[in-house]
Amino acid sequence: WTAFLCFFGAMIGSILYLATKNLRYDSFAASVTEVGLAFGAANLLTGMIWGRIIWGIWWTWDARLTSMLVGWLIYAGYFMLRRAIEESKRPAVR
């Protein structure tokens, strides 16, 4: 639930930033994305460990597991894209 709430908060913060151009919302979206990625990774890893013990396999392509993985990958891509864009705006050091 924590990962979901963080990702939802990032979506709201991003929408508010696009609507108002207030950098506080952009900063909020970036910070909750980091927290959401950490909780999502913990969720996926501990779920795989639990699945190995209970089902005897590390990963099943269940809809809930797969949707969490896809959501985590989307927000990891969002975070990487933010880093790439911010670095390209910096002036080159000579």
Side-chain angles (χ1 to χ4, degrees):
W1 277 100
T2 305
F4 170 74
L5 290 175
C6 288
F7 295 154
F8 187 73
M11 180 188 72
I12 297 298
S14 297
I15 289 171
L16 289 173
Y17 170 70
L18 290 174
T20 64
K21 301 294 185 210
N22 188 345
L23 289 177
R24 284 184 24 209
Y25 295 125
D26 187 43
S27 178
F28 173 76
S31 63
V32 295
T33 299
E34 289 182 32
V35 175
L37 282 174
F39 274 99
N43 181 17
L44 287 171
L45 291 175
T46 57
M48 287 176 14
I49 293 169
W50 179 85
R52 175 71 174 146
I53 294 168
I54 300 300
W55 296 320
I57 56 174
W58 288 101
W59 185 265
T60 62
W61 290 99
D62 182 57
R64 291 175 289 182
L65 293 172
T66 307
S67 63
M68 181 62 196
L69 177 64
V70 169
W72 189 88
L73 289 173
I74 288 171
Y75 277 95
Y78 163 80
F79 192 62
M80 288 188 290
L81 183 62
R82 284 186 56 88
R83 294 278 182 155
I85 290 173
E86 288 175 5
E87 288 177 5
S88 67
K89 287 184 178 180
R90 295 182 192 149
V93 177
R94 296 180 189 216

